[in-house]
Amino acid sequence: MPGSVIFYGDSNTFGFNSAGYCGGGFQGTFFSKKDTWVGRVAASPLLTGINVINSGENGRTIPVNEWEKRELADILHRNAPVRLAGGMLGSNDLLTMFRCSMVKVALKMGAMLEYLLKLPEIDGDGLRILLIAPPRTELPGIREEELEFNKLSEGFGAAYRGLSQKYGTHFADAGSWGIPLSSDGVHFTKEGHRIFADHMLGVLEEIFSGRKHYC
């Protein structure tokens, strides 16, 4: 089963460990590669012979600018043939967007999917995409807007499911997986990475068996 599986995302894909968060700022580090959900997935026998690539980056938002889109396209072409491209983004968009709304986030994600689906052939059969809805945030609620962010983030699953059905991608709702978050209410704990990996392996097993994944 040759080729690559690429996971494109933000700090929760890369493996940022925010255990050092102390209210005034981040003093976090990073989980070891083997302890991130991507590393755990890569170590599974299910992925034997496949090049699993962690393309997470701290602070990343959904690509909008041309240079961001070209960077994503370059990642895919450098690692062709790509068996599957999984993406989990949107949390940073929600947290940094002026007058944020899930509608705005979904519009950005829809534009990214349209861009990806128009790329030249990467594996000969068209790019297979797995759209992953991020877990809801659990910000402490010290400020009123944090509670609003938490409420809005509950909409990732429904919004991204609709996009997946519209564009014909695979879909997974990590918001239904019960992922433990650190005290900052955004980043996965080490146990969160383990639980995420277990669910993701179930998703990949279904996809690789030839079935569409919509849960």
Side-chain angles (χ1 to χ4, degrees), residues 104-162:
K104 290 181 180 179
V105 174
L107 285 172
K108 291 178 68 176
M109 180 58 75
M112 189 189 86
L113 292 175
E114 287 186 2
Y115 173 80
L116 287 174
L117 293 170
K118 291 177 182 178
L119 288 176
E121 297 291 348
I122 292 174
D123 65 356
D125 295 317
L127 180 64
R128 290 199 296 178
I129 298 170
L130 169 62
L131 178 60
I132 308 165
R136 113 187 249 283
T137 61
E138 297 177 3
L139 298 172
I142 298 172
R143 300 187 303 275
E144 185 176 345
E145 58 265 31
E146 292 181 340
L147 296 176
E148 182 64 18
F149 287 140
N150 292 341
K151 182 178 179 181
L152 288 172
S153 67
E154 293 176 355
F156 274 120
Y160 282 20
R161 183 185 298 273

Side-chain angles (χ1 to χ4, degrees), residues 9-215:
D10 54 28
S11 53
N12 273 330
T13 295
F14 188 66
F16 182 73
N17 177 8
S18 64
Y21 180 73
C22 56
F26 284 107
Q27 296 177 352
T29 55
F30 298 93
F31 291 110
S32 66
K33 290 182 179 180
K34 67 180 180 63
D35 287 328
T36 65
W37 68 263
V38 177
R40 290 175 179 275
V41 166
S44 168
L46 180 67
L47 280 296
T48 298
I50 297 178
N51 185 23
V52 179
I53 297 167
N54 186 331
S55 189
E57 183 177 292
N58 278 10
R60 178 180 279 147
T61 55
I62 300 167
V64 174
N65 299 321
E66 282 304 310
W67 71 267
E68 294 174 316
K69 293 178 179 178
R70 285 198 300 271
E71 179 186 55
L72 174 54
D74 287 344
I75 291 170
L76 295 170
H77 283 104
R78 281 200 310 269
N79 295 286
V82 178
R83 290 185 54 82
L84 183 71
M88 183 172 68
L89 286 169
S91 297
N92 288 320
D93 300 82
L94 195 65
L95 293 170
T96 60
M97 184 182 291
F98 178 67
R99 293 180 182 172
C100 62
S101 74
M102 190 52 64
V103 172
K104 290 181 180 179
V105 174
L107 285 172
K108 291 178 68 176
M109 180 58 75
M112 189 189 86
L113 292 175
E114 287 186 2
Y115 173 80
L116 287 174
L117 293 170
K118 291 177 182 178
L119 288 176
E121 297 291 348
I122 292 174
D123 65 356
D125 295 317
L127 180 64
R128 290 199 296 178
I129 298 170
L130 169 62
L131 178 60
I132 308 165
R136 113 187 249 283
T137 61
E138 297 177 3
L139 298 172
I142 298 172
R143 300 187 303 275
E144 185 176 345
E145 58 265 31
E146 292 181 340
L147 296 176
E148 182 64 18
F149 287 140
N150 292 341
K151 182 178 179 181
L152 288 172
S153 67
E154 293 176 355
F156 274 120
Y160 282 20
R161 183 185 298 273
L163 289 174
S164 176
Q165 292 171 344
K166 177 179 179 179
Y167 293 103
T169 72
H170 299 284
F171 171 72
D173 183 6
S176 67
W177 293 351
I179 305 299
L181 302 179
S182 67
S183 60
D184 69 357
V186 176
H187 295 96
F188 300 172
T189 62
K190 185 176 179 179
E191 176 68 1
H193 279 274
R194 184 193 66 77
I195 293 172
F196 193 103
D198 288 345
H199 283 279
M200 182 54 61
L201 285 170
V203 171
L204 295 176
E205 185 173 12
E206 186 167 323
I207 292 174
F208 290 162
S209 69
R211 298 190 295 273
K212 183 73 79 174
H213 192 87
Y214 280 131
C215 58

